[in-house]
Amino acid sequence: MSVDKIFEALSSAPRRRILAYLSKTDMTAGEIAERFADMMSQPAISKHLSVLENAGLVWREKRGMNVHYGLKEDALTGTLVHFLAEVCPRSCPFRKDSAAAATRKKKDGRRA
Amino acid sequence: MSVDKIFEALSSAPRRRILAYLSKTDMTAGEIAERFADMMSQPAISKHLSVLENAGLVWREKRGMNVHYGLKEDALTGTLVHFLAEVCPRSCPFRKDSAAAATRKKKDGRRA
């Protein structure tokens, strides 16, 4: 998992929109494509999903006829917690929030 | 200010390192270049600084013989707060932290 790849993946509005959908529920490739039907082709969506998968931000699973996608929540939040801890100035309200969130995450014993 | 540009700017380790330096203190272009002296040329650093400036993440000011750079903290945290609010699942510890931070920011009446 490369931090460069993660931020690169986040630098596209359609990819951020896909992540927003997946943060609510897992979806099939077809369901995702439907949401973009008026603005993007299926191959274009597949390309975006592939970028997200390569960045380690989504998982992909073939079930019968459908390919399902879901958010890898820990990859997303872990990267941002680390980034904020490094870059946020002392005055930044995120600084202590992210530190507290990181501590809670650790206590919860969830996968990093 | 484009969110795509901001994430694109963050997709480079040297640029994230520059932001980390600038989160501690404003620096001159020369001081920044010194920190990378063993791995990168001055023109390469100038290019990275220009990407960060174009993304709206740093300010630049000529003072006498020197060019000073500093972090635009609100652009960075504002973008991330908004992104997290949109993308973080309900279970994500960041979700309520970022909402609380956004509320405090608003109350403080700080520039967006």
PDB file of all heavy atoms in Angstrom, chain A residues 17-54:
ATOM      1  N   ARG A  17     -16.403  10.022  -5.446  1.00  0.00           N
ATOM      2  CA  ARG A  17     -17.844   9.742  -5.397  1.00  0.00           C
ATOM      3  C   ARG A  17     -18.091   8.242  -5.222  1.00  0.00           C
ATOM      4  O   ARG A  17     -18.964   7.838  -4.451  1.00  0.00           O
ATOM      5  CB  ARG A  17     -18.495  10.249  -6.697  1.00  0.00           C
ATOM      6  CG  ARG A  17     -19.968  10.553  -6.552  1.00  0.00           C
ATOM      7  CD  ARG A  17     -20.505  11.216  -7.817  1.00  0.00           C
ATOM      8  NE  ARG A  17     -21.712  10.555  -8.284  1.00  0.00           N
ATOM      9  CZ  ARG A  17     -22.269  10.768  -9.483  1.00  0.00           C
ATOM     10  NH1 ARG A  17     -21.711  11.603 -10.343  1.00  0.00           N
ATOM     11  NH2 ARG A  17     -23.372  10.128  -9.817  1.00  0.00           N
ATOM     12  N   ILE A  18     -17.318   7.412  -5.911  1.00  0.00           N
ATOM     13  CA  ILE A  18     -17.445   5.949  -5.739  1.00  0.00           C
ATOM     14  C   ILE A  18     -17.176   5.574  -4.281  1.00  0.00           C
ATOM     15  O   ILE A  18     -17.916   4.785  -3.676  1.00  0.00           O
ATOM     16  CB  ILE A  18     -16.471   5.194  -6.680  1.00  0.00           C
ATOM     17  CG1 ILE A  18     -16.893   5.369  -8.148  1.00  0.00           C
ATOM     18  CG2 ILE A  18     -16.418   3.702  -6.326  1.00  0.00           C
ATOM     19  CD1 ILE A  18     -15.900   4.817  -9.167  1.00  0.00           C
ATOM     20  N   LEU A  19     -16.129   6.140  -3.702  1.00  0.00           N
ATOM     21  CA  LEU A  19     -15.809   5.832  -2.298  1.00  0.00           C
ATOM     22  C   LEU A  19     -16.951   6.258  -1.376  1.00  0.00           C
ATOM     23  O   LEU A  19     -17.271   5.574  -0.403  1.00  0.00           O
ATOM     24  CB  LEU A  19     -14.505   6.521  -1.881  1.00  0.00           C
ATOM     25  CG  LEU A  19     -13.218   6.009  -2.549  1.00  0.00           C
ATOM     26  CD1 LEU A  19     -12.034   6.873  -2.132  1.00  0.00           C
ATOM     27  CD2 LEU A  19     -12.959   4.553  -2.213  1.00  0.00           C
ATOM     28  N   ALA A  20     -17.571   7.399  -1.684  1.00  0.00           N
ATOM     29  CA  ALA A  20     -18.703   7.877  -0.873  1.00  0.00           C
ATOM     30  C   ALA A  20     -19.855   6.879  -0.952  1.00  0.00           C
ATOM     31  O   ALA A  20     -20.463   6.545   0.074  1.00  0.00           O
ATOM     32  CB  ALA A  20     -19.147   9.263  -1.335  1.00  0.00           C
ATOM     33  N   TYR A  21     -20.156   6.368  -2.154  1.00  0.00           N
ATOM     34  CA  TYR A  21     -21.200   5.341  -2.294  1.00  0.00           C
ATOM     35  C   TYR A  21     -20.833   4.105  -1.469  1.00  0.00           C
ATOM     36  O   TYR A  21     -21.654   3.566  -0.731  1.00  0.00           O
ATOM     37  CB  TYR A  21     -21.363   4.910  -3.758  1.00  0.00           C
ATOM     38  CG  TYR A  21     -21.978   5.953  -4.672  1.00  0.00           C
ATOM     39  CD1 TYR A  21     -21.543   6.104  -5.989  1.00  0.00           C
ATOM     40  CD2 TYR A  21     -23.016   6.777  -4.230  1.00  0.00           C
ATOM     41  CE1 TYR A  21     -22.113   7.051  -6.838  1.00  0.00           C
ATOM     42  CE2 TYR A  21     -23.581   7.729  -5.070  1.00  0.00           C
ATOM     43  CZ  TYR A  21     -23.125   7.867  -6.372  1.00  0.00           C
ATOM     44  OH  TYR A  21     -23.678   8.798  -7.202  1.00  0.00           O
ATOM     45  N   LEU A  22     -19.586   3.664  -1.610  1.00  0.00           N
ATOM     46  CA  LEU A  22     -19.159   2.423  -0.944  1.00  0.00           C
ATOM     47  C   LEU A  22     -19.055   2.578   0.579  1.00  0.00           C
ATOM     48  O   LEU A  22     -19.019   1.583   1.302  1.00  0.00           O
ATOM     49  CB  LEU A  22     -17.827   1.928  -1.525  1.00  0.00           C
ATOM     50  CG  LEU A  22     -17.877   1.489  -2.996  1.00  0.00           C
ATOM     51  CD1 LEU A  22     -16.489   1.069  -3.477  1.00  0.00           C
ATOM     52  CD2 LEU A  22     -18.875   0.347  -3.207  1.00  0.00           C
ATOM     53  N   SER A  23     -18.994   3.819   1.041  1.00  0.00           N
ATOM     54  CA  SER A  23     -18.950   4.022   2.496  1.00  0.00           C
ATOM     55  C   SER A  23     -20.312   3.729   3.120  1.00  0.00           C
ATOM     56  O   SER A  23     -20.415   3.496   4.318  1.00  0.00           O
ATOM     57  CB  SER A  23     -18.511   5.452   2.830  1.00  0.00           C
ATOM     58  OG  SER A  23     -19.547   6.372   2.526  1.00  0.00           O
ATOM     59  N   LYS A  24     -21.354   3.744   2.284  1.00  0.00           N
ATOM     60  CA  LYS A  24     -22.712   3.444   2.785  1.00  0.00           C
ATOM     61  C   LYS A  24     -22.997   1.948   2.712  1.00  0.00           C
ATOM     62  O   LYS A  24     -23.622   1.390   3.597  1.00  0.00           O
ATOM     63  CB  LYS A  24     -23.767   4.183   1.948  1.00  0.00           C
ATOM     64  CG  LYS A  24     -23.511   5.674   1.733  1.00  0.00           C
ATOM     65  CD  LYS A  24     -23.914   6.498   2.931  1.00  0.00           C
ATOM     66  CE  LYS A  24     -23.751   7.995   2.691  1.00  0.00           C
ATOM     67  NZ  LYS A  24     -22.354   8.400   2.393  1.00  0.00           N
ATOM     68  N   THR A  25     -22.540   1.310   1.629  1.00  0.00           N
ATOM     69  CA  THR A  25     -22.855  -0.113   1.423  1.00  0.00           C
ATOM     70  C   THR A  25     -21.951  -0.709   0.337  1.00  0.00           C
ATOM     71  O   THR A  25     -21.452   0.035  -0.516  1.00  0.00           O
ATOM     72  CB  THR A  25     -24.337  -0.276   0.991  1.00  0.00           C
ATOM     73  OG1 THR A  25     -24.605  -1.664   0.774  1.00  0.00           O
ATOM     74  CG2 THR A  25     -24.632   0.477  -0.305  1.00  0.00           C
ATOM     75  N   ASP A  26     -21.732  -2.006   0.388  1.00  0.00           N
ATOM     76  CA  ASP A  26     -21.041  -2.670  -0.721  1.00  0.00           C
ATOM     77  C   ASP A  26     -21.937  -2.606  -1.957  1.00  0.00           C
ATOM     78  O   ASP A  26     -23.165  -2.551  -1.841  1.00  0.00           O
ATOM     79  CB  ASP A  26     -20.781  -4.141  -0.382  1.00  0.00           C
ATOM     80  CG  ASP A  26     -19.984  -4.295   0.903  1.00  0.00           C
ATOM     81  OD1 ASP A  26     -19.412  -3.288   1.374  1.00  0.00           O
ATOM     82  OD2 ASP A  26     -19.943  -5.417   1.432  1.00  0.00           O
ATOM     83  N   MET A  27     -21.336  -2.620  -3.124  1.00  0.00           N
ATOM     84  CA  MET A  27     -22.121  -2.542  -4.364  1.00  0.00           C
ATOM     85  C   MET A  27     -21.507  -3.442  -5.431  1.00  0.00           C
ATOM     86  O   MET A  27     -20.304  -3.717  -5.399  1.00  0.00           O
ATOM     87  CB  MET A  27     -22.144  -1.101  -4.896  1.00  0.00           C
ATOM     88  CG  MET A  27     -22.884  -0.112  -4.018  1.00  0.00           C
ATOM     89  SD  MET A  27     -22.604   1.612  -4.552  1.00  0.00           S
ATOM     90  CE  MET A  27     -23.815   1.739  -5.868  1.00  0.00           C
ATOM     91  N   THR A  28     -22.344  -3.840  -6.406  1.00  0.00           N
ATOM     92  CA  THR A  28     -21.797  -4.554  -7.546  1.00  0.00           C
ATOM     93  C   THR A  28     -21.277  -3.528  -8.555  1.00  0.00           C
ATOM     94  O   THR A  28     -21.660  -2.352  -8.513  1.00  0.00           O
ATOM     95  CB  THR A  28     -22.872  -5.414  -8.245  1.00  0.00           C
ATOM     96  OG1 THR A  28     -23.856  -4.542  -8.811  1.00  0.00           O
ATOM     97  CG2 THR A  28     -23.543  -6.369  -7.280  1.00  0.00           C
ATOM     98  N   ALA A  29     -20.409  -4.010  -9.467  1.00  0.00           N
ATOM     99  CA  ALA A  29     -19.877  -3.127 -10.507  1.00  0.00           C
ATOM    100  C   ALA A  29     -21.019  -2.506 -11.306  1.00  0.00           C
ATOM    101  O   ALA A  29     -20.979  -1.311 -11.646  1.00  0.00           O
ATOM    102  CB  ALA A  29     -18.951  -3.915 -11.429  1.00  0.00           C
ATOM    103  N   GLY A  30     -22.068  -3.306 -11.567  1.00  0.00           N
ATOM    104  CA  GLY A  30     -23.217  -2.805 -12.327  1.00  0.00           C
ATOM    105  C   GLY A  30     -23.950  -1.691 -11.597  1.00  0.00           C
ATOM    106  O   GLY A  30     -24.337  -0.687 -12.203  1.00  0.00           O
ATOM    107  N   GLU A  31     -24.139  -1.869 -10.290  1.00  0.00           N
ATOM    108  CA  GLU A  31     -24.827  -0.833  -9.500  1.00  0.00           C
ATOM    109  C   GLU A  31     -24.040   0.473  -9.496  1.00  0.00           C
ATOM    110  O   GLU A  31     -24.615   1.565  -9.567  1.00  0.00           O
ATOM    111  CB  GLU A  31     -25.016  -1.327  -8.055  1.00  0.00           C
ATOM    112  CG  GLU A  31     -26.113  -2.365  -7.889  1.00  0.00           C
ATOM    113  CD  GLU A  31     -26.070  -3.102  -6.552  1.00  0.00           C
ATOM    114  OE1 GLU A  31     -25.043  -3.028  -5.843  1.00  0.00           O
ATOM    115  OE2 GLU A  31     -27.060  -3.769  -6.233  1.00  0.00           O
ATOM    116  N   ILE A  32     -22.715   0.338  -9.404  1.00  0.00           N
ATOM    117  CA  ILE A  32     -21.874   1.549  -9.429  1.00  0.00           C
ATOM    118  C   ILE A  32     -21.997   2.224 -10.794  1.00  0.00           C
ATOM    119  O   ILE A  32     -22.208   3.443 -10.878  1.00  0.00           O
ATOM    120  CB  ILE A  32     -20.400   1.204  -9.115  1.00  0.00           C
ATOM    121  CG1 ILE A  32     -20.280   0.643  -7.688  1.00  0.00           C
ATOM    122  CG2 ILE A  32     -19.506   2.434  -9.279  1.00  0.00           C
ATOM    123  CD1 ILE A  32     -18.936   0.001  -7.373  1.00  0.00           C
ATOM    124  N   ALA A  33     -21.895   1.421 -11.860  1.00  0.00           N
ATOM    125  CA  ALA A  33     -21.965   1.977 -13.220  1.00  0.00           C
ATOM    126  C   ALA A  33     -23.292   2.706 -13.453  1.00  0.00           C
ATOM    127  O   ALA A  33     -23.329   3.753 -14.101  1.00  0.00           O
ATOM    128  CB  ALA A  33     -21.763   0.872 -14.247  1.00  0.00           C
ATOM    129  N   GLU A  34     -24.380   2.152 -12.895  1.00  0.00           N
ATOM    130  CA  GLU A  34     -25.708   2.790 -13.041  1.00  0.00           C
ATOM    131  C   GLU A  34     -25.718   4.223 -12.512  1.00  0.00           C
ATOM    132  O   GLU A  34     -26.352   5.097 -13.083  1.00  0.00           O
ATOM    133  CB  GLU A  34     -26.748   1.995 -12.242  1.00  0.00           C
ATOM    134  CG  GLU A  34     -27.496   0.953 -13.052  1.00  0.00           C
ATOM    135  CD  GLU A  34     -28.389   0.105 -12.155  1.00  0.00           C
ATOM    136  OE1 GLU A  34     -28.935   0.630 -11.164  1.00  0.00           O
ATOM    137  OE2 GLU A  34     -28.506  -1.108 -12.442  1.00  0.00           O
ATOM    138  N   ARG A  35     -25.029   4.427 -11.389  1.00  0.00           N
ATOM    139  CA  ARG A  35     -25.015   5.777 -10.784  1.00  0.00           C
ATOM    140  C   ARG A  35     -24.312   6.802 -11.669  1.00  0.00           C
ATOM    141  O   ARG A  35     -24.449   7.996 -11.464  1.00  0.00           O
ATOM    142  CB  ARG A  35     -24.287   5.757  -9.421  1.00  0.00           C
ATOM    143  CG  ARG A  35     -24.760   4.709  -8.436  1.00  0.00           C
ATOM    144  CD  ARG A  35     -26.062   5.143  -7.795  1.00  0.00           C
ATOM    145  NE  ARG A  35     -26.487   4.170  -6.804  1.00  0.00           N
ATOM    146  CZ  ARG A  35     -26.426   4.370  -5.491  1.00  0.00           C
ATOM    147  NH1 ARG A  35     -25.969   5.502  -5.018  1.00  0.00           N
ATOM    148  NH2 ARG A  35     -26.848   3.434  -4.657  1.00  0.00           N
ATOM    149  N   PHE A  36     -23.486   6.301 -12.600  1.00  0.00           N
ATOM    150  CA  PHE A  36     -22.726   7.205 -13.465  1.00  0.00           C
ATOM    151  C   PHE A  36     -23.209   7.116 -14.919  1.00  0.00           C
ATOM    152  O   PHE A  36     -22.538   7.612 -15.821  1.00  0.00           O
ATOM    153  CB  PHE A  36     -21.227   6.852 -13.413  1.00  0.00           C
ATOM    154  CG  PHE A  36     -20.561   7.161 -12.104  1.00  0.00           C
ATOM    155  CD1 PHE A  36     -20.536   6.228 -11.089  1.00  0.00           C
ATOM    156  CD2 PHE A  36     -19.965   8.403 -11.892  1.00  0.00           C
ATOM    157  CE1 PHE A  36     -19.923   6.505  -9.871  1.00  0.00           C
ATOM    158  CE2 PHE A  36     -19.359   8.696 -10.686  1.00  0.00           C
ATOM    159  CZ  PHE A  36     -19.334   7.747  -9.668  1.00  0.00           C
ATOM    160  N   ALA A  37     -24.369   6.468 -15.106  1.00  0.00           N
ATOM    161  CA  ALA A  37     -24.825   6.130 -16.464  1.00  0.00           C
ATOM    162  C   ALA A  37     -24.911   7.358 -17.375  1.00  0.00           C
ATOM    163  O   ALA A  37     -24.659   7.263 -18.579  1.00  0.00           O
ATOM    164  CB  ALA A  37     -26.173   5.432 -16.397  1.00  0.00           C
ATOM    165  N   ASP A  38     -25.250   8.526 -16.790  1.00  0.00           N
ATOM    166  CA  ASP A  38     -25.446   9.712 -17.625  1.00  0.00           C
ATOM    167  C   ASP A  38     -24.142  10.441 -17.949  1.00  0.00           C
ATOM    168  O   ASP A  38     -24.133  11.402 -18.711  1.00  0.00           O
ATOM    169  CB  ASP A  38     -26.408  10.694 -16.924  1.00  0.00           C
ATOM    170  CG  ASP A  38     -25.940  11.029 -15.519  1.00  0.00           C
ATOM    171  OD1 ASP A  38     -25.077  10.293 -14.982  1.00  0.00           O
ATOM    172  OD2 ASP A  38     -26.412  12.033 -14.949  1.00  0.00           O
ATOM    173  N   MET A  39     -23.044  10.005 -17.379  1.00  0.00           N
ATOM    174  CA  MET A  39     -21.815  10.789 -17.583  1.00  0.00           C
ATOM    175  C   MET A  39     -20.580   9.966 -17.923  1.00  0.00           C
ATOM    176  O   MET A  39     -19.542  10.525 -18.276  1.00  0.00           O
ATOM    177  CB  MET A  39     -21.518  11.629 -16.338  1.00  0.00           C
ATOM    178  CG  MET A  39     -21.380  10.803 -15.060  1.00  0.00           C
ATOM    179  SD  MET A  39     -21.086  11.811 -13.578  1.00  0.00           S
ATOM    180  CE  MET A  39     -19.427  12.391 -13.851  1.00  0.00           C
ATOM    181  N   MET A  40     -20.680   8.637 -17.809  1.00  0.00           N
ATOM    182  CA  MET A  40     -19.461   7.848 -17.988  1.00  0.00           C
ATOM    183  C   MET A  40     -19.773   6.436 -18.493  1.00  0.00           C
ATOM    184  O   MET A  40     -20.786   5.856 -18.098  1.00  0.00           O
ATOM    185  CB  MET A  40     -18.740   7.747 -16.644  1.00  0.00           C
ATOM    186  CG  MET A  40     -17.237   7.749 -16.762  1.00  0.00           C
ATOM    187  SD  MET A  40     -16.476   7.766 -15.130  1.00  0.00           S
ATOM    188  CE  MET A  40     -16.687   9.481 -14.690  1.00  0.00           C
ATOM    189  N   SER A  41     -18.874   5.921 -19.336  1.00  0.00           N
ATOM    190  CA  SER A  41     -19.074   4.567 -19.870  1.00  0.00           C
ATOM    191  C   SER A  41     -18.676   3.524 -18.828  1.00  0.00           C
ATOM    192  O   SER A  41     -17.915   3.812 -17.900  1.00  0.00           O
ATOM    193  CB  SER A  41     -18.208   4.385 -21.113  1.00  0.00           C
ATOM    194  OG  SER A  41     -16.841   4.396 -20.750  1.00  0.00           O
ATOM    195  N   GLN A  42     -19.157   2.303 -19.028  1.00  0.00           N
ATOM    196  CA  GLN A  42     -18.793   1.191 -18.148  1.00  0.00           C
ATOM    197  C   GLN A  42     -17.272   0.961 -18.112  1.00  0.00           C
ATOM    198  O   GLN A  42     -16.700   0.791 -17.024  1.00  0.00           O
ATOM    199  CB  GLN A  42     -19.545  -0.064 -18.614  1.00  0.00           C
ATOM    200  CG  GLN A  42     -19.080  -1.374 -18.005  1.00  0.00           C
ATOM    201  CD  GLN A  42     -19.735  -1.639 -16.657  1.00  0.00           C
ATOM    202  OE1 GLN A  42     -20.954  -1.555 -16.541  1.00  0.00           O
ATOM    203  NE2 GLN A  42     -18.943  -1.950 -15.642  1.00  0.00           N
ATOM    204  N   PRO A  43     -16.571   0.993 -19.275  1.00  0.00           N
ATOM    205  CA  PRO A  43     -15.110   0.816 -19.204  1.00  0.00           C
ATOM    206  C   PRO A  43     -14.411   1.918 -18.402  1.00  0.00           C
ATOM    207  O   PRO A  43     -13.428   1.653 -17.709  1.00  0.00           O
ATOM    208  CB  PRO A  43     -14.669   0.866 -20.678  1.00  0.00           C
ATOM    209  CG  PRO A  43     -15.882   0.502 -21.459  1.00  0.00           C
ATOM    210  CD  PRO A  43     -17.045   1.016 -20.676  1.00  0.00           C
ATOM    211  N   ALA A  44     -14.940   3.130 -18.493  1.00  0.00           N
ATOM    212  CA  ALA A  44     -14.334   4.232 -17.718  1.00  0.00           C
ATOM    213  C   ALA A  44     -14.494   3.965 -16.224  1.00  0.00           C
ATOM    214  O   ALA A  44     -13.563   4.177 -15.436  1.00  0.00           O
ATOM    215  CB  ALA A  44     -14.972   5.561 -18.104  1.00  0.00           C
ATOM    216  N   ILE A  45     -15.670   3.486 -15.831  1.00  0.00           N
ATOM    217  CA  ILE A  45     -15.913   3.145 -14.422  1.00  0.00           C
ATOM    218  C   ILE A  45     -14.990   2.002 -13.992  1.00  0.00           C
ATOM    219  O   ILE A  45     -14.400   2.037 -12.900  1.00  0.00           O
ATOM    220  CB  ILE A  45     -17.392   2.747 -14.204  1.00  0.00           C
ATOM    221  CG1 ILE A  45     -18.293   3.967 -14.347  1.00  0.00           C
ATOM    222  CG2 ILE A  45     -17.599   2.099 -12.838  1.00  0.00           C
ATOM    223  CD1 ILE A  45     -18.100   4.997 -13.268  1.00  0.00           C
ATOM    224  N   SER A  46     -14.852   1.006 -14.841  1.00  0.00           N
ATOM    225  CA  SER A  46     -13.973  -0.123 -14.517  1.00  0.00           C
ATOM    226  C   SER A  46     -12.551   0.358 -14.268  1.00  0.00           C
ATOM    227  O   SER A  46     -11.863  -0.128 -13.376  1.00  0.00           O
ATOM    228  CB  SER A  46     -13.949  -1.138 -15.658  1.00  0.00           C
ATOM    229  OG  SER A  46     -15.226  -1.684 -15.819  1.00  0.00           O
ATOM    230  N   LYS A  47     -12.121   1.318 -15.076  1.00  0.00           N
ATOM    231  CA  LYS A  47     -10.770   1.872 -14.915  1.00  0.00           C
ATOM    232  C   LYS A  47     -10.645   2.551 -13.535  1.00  0.00           C
ATOM    233  O   LYS A  47      -9.673   2.338 -12.812  1.00  0.00           O
ATOM    234  CB  LYS A  47     -10.509   2.862 -16.064  1.00  0.00           C
ATOM    235  CG  LYS A  47      -9.147   3.529 -16.067  1.00  0.00           C
ATOM    236  CD  LYS A  47      -8.057   2.566 -16.543  1.00  0.00           C
ATOM    237  CE  LYS A  47      -6.696   3.238 -16.621  1.00  0.00           C
ATOM    238  NZ  LYS A  47      -6.132   3.637 -15.330  1.00  0.00           N
ATOM    239  N   HIS A  48     -11.656   3.350 -13.184  1.00  0.00           N
ATOM    240  CA  HIS A  48     -11.621   4.029 -11.876  1.00  0.00           C
ATOM    241  C   HIS A  48     -11.614   3.003 -10.733  1.00  0.00           C
ATOM    242  O   HIS A  48     -10.878   3.160  -9.755  1.00  0.00           O
ATOM    243  CB  HIS A  48     -12.822   4.962 -11.730  1.00  0.00           C
ATOM    244  CG  HIS A  48     -12.688   6.260 -12.481  1.00  0.00           C
ATOM    245  ND1 HIS A  48     -11.579   7.066 -12.357  1.00  0.00           N
ATOM    246  CD2 HIS A  48     -13.517   6.892 -13.348  1.00  0.00           C
ATOM    247  CE1 HIS A  48     -11.729   8.140 -13.136  1.00  0.00           C
ATOM    248  NE2 HIS A  48     -12.892   8.059 -13.743  1.00  0.00           N
ATOM    249  N   LEU A  49     -12.429   1.949 -10.869  1.00  0.00           N
ATOM    250  CA  LEU A  49     -12.475   0.918  -9.820  1.00  0.00           C
ATOM    251  C   LEU A  49     -11.128   0.217  -9.698  1.00  0.00           C
ATOM    252  O   LEU A  49     -10.672  -0.097  -8.593  1.00  0.00           O
ATOM    253  CB  LEU A  49     -13.587  -0.099 -10.125  1.00  0.00           C
ATOM    254  CG  LEU A  49     -15.006   0.406  -9.857  1.00  0.00           C
ATOM    255  CD1 LEU A  49     -16.043  -0.538 -10.456  1.00  0.00           C
ATOM    256  CD2 LEU A  49     -15.248   0.565  -8.347  1.00  0.00           C
ATOM    257  N   SER A  50     -10.484   0.036 -10.840  1.00  0.00           N
ATOM    258  CA  SER A  50      -9.182  -0.608 -10.831  1.00  0.00           C
ATOM    259  C   SER A  50      -8.127   0.276 -10.145  1.00  0.00           C
ATOM    260  O   SER A  50      -7.273  -0.216  -9.401  1.00  0.00           O
ATOM    261  CB  SER A  50      -8.819  -0.934 -12.286  1.00  0.00           C
ATOM    262  OG  SER A  50      -7.462  -1.051 -12.446  1.00  0.00           O
ATOM    263  N   VAL A  51      -8.193   1.580 -10.371  1.00  0.00           N
ATOM    264  CA  VAL A  51      -7.264   2.497  -9.685  1.00  0.00           C
ATOM    265  C   VAL A  51      -7.488   2.432  -8.173  1.00  0.00           C
ATOM    266  O   VAL A  51      -6.532   2.366  -7.387  1.00  0.00           O
ATOM    267  CB  VAL A  51      -7.436   3.958 -10.197  1.00  0.00           C
ATOM    268  CG1 VAL A  51      -6.624   4.933  -9.358  1.00  0.00           C
ATOM    269  CG2 VAL A  51      -7.037   4.062 -11.664  1.00  0.00           C
ATOM    270  N   LEU A  52      -8.754   2.430  -7.766  1.00  0.00           N
ATOM    271  CA  LEU A  52      -9.077   2.364  -6.334  1.00  0.00           C
ATOM    272  C   LEU A  52      -8.608   1.048  -5.717  1.00  0.00           C
ATOM    273  O   LEU A  52      -8.097   1.014  -4.590  1.00  0.00           O
ATOM    274  CB  LEU A  52     -10.586   2.542  -6.118  1.00  0.00           C
ATOM    275  CG  LEU A  52     -11.141   3.945  -6.401  1.00  0.00           C
ATOM    276  CD1 LEU A  52     -12.670   3.940  -6.397  1.00  0.00           C
ATOM    277  CD2 LEU A  52     -10.612   4.948  -5.372  1.00  0.00           C
ATOM    278  N   GLU A  53      -8.775  -0.041  -6.483  1.00  0.00           N
ATOM    279  CA  GLU A  53      -8.354  -1.346  -5.984  1.00  0.00           C
ATOM    280  C   GLU A  53      -6.822  -1.413  -5.869  1.00  0.00           C
ATOM    281  O   GLU A  53      -6.291  -1.893  -4.868  1.00  0.00           O
ATOM    282  CB  GLU A  53      -8.874  -2.441  -6.927  1.00  0.00           C
ATOM    283  CG  GLU A  53      -8.787  -3.830  -6.313  1.00  0.00           C
ATOM    284  CD  GLU A  53      -9.108  -4.924  -7.327  1.00  0.00           C
ATOM    285  OE1 GLU A  53      -9.512  -4.606  -8.467  1.00  0.00           O
ATOM    286  OE2 GLU A  53      -8.935  -6.101  -6.967  1.00  0.00           O
ATOM    287  N   ASN A  54      -6.133  -0.900  -6.892  1.00  0.00           N
ATOM    288  CA  ASN A  54      -4.659  -0.899  -6.857  1.00  0.00           C
ATOM    289  C   ASN A  54      -4.110  -0.043  -5.721  1.00  0.00           C
ATOM    290  O   ASN A  54      -3.029  -0.310  -5.209  1.00  0.00           O
ATOM    291  CB  ASN A  54      -4.089  -0.388  -8.190  1.00  0.00           C
ATOM    292  CG  ASN A  54      -4.167  -1.443  -9.269  1.00  0.00           C
ATOM    293  OD1 ASN A  54      -4.133  -2.633  -8.969  1.00  0.00           O
ATOM    294  ND2 ASN A  54      -4.296  -1.014 -10.512  1.00  0.00           N
TER     295      ASN A  54
END
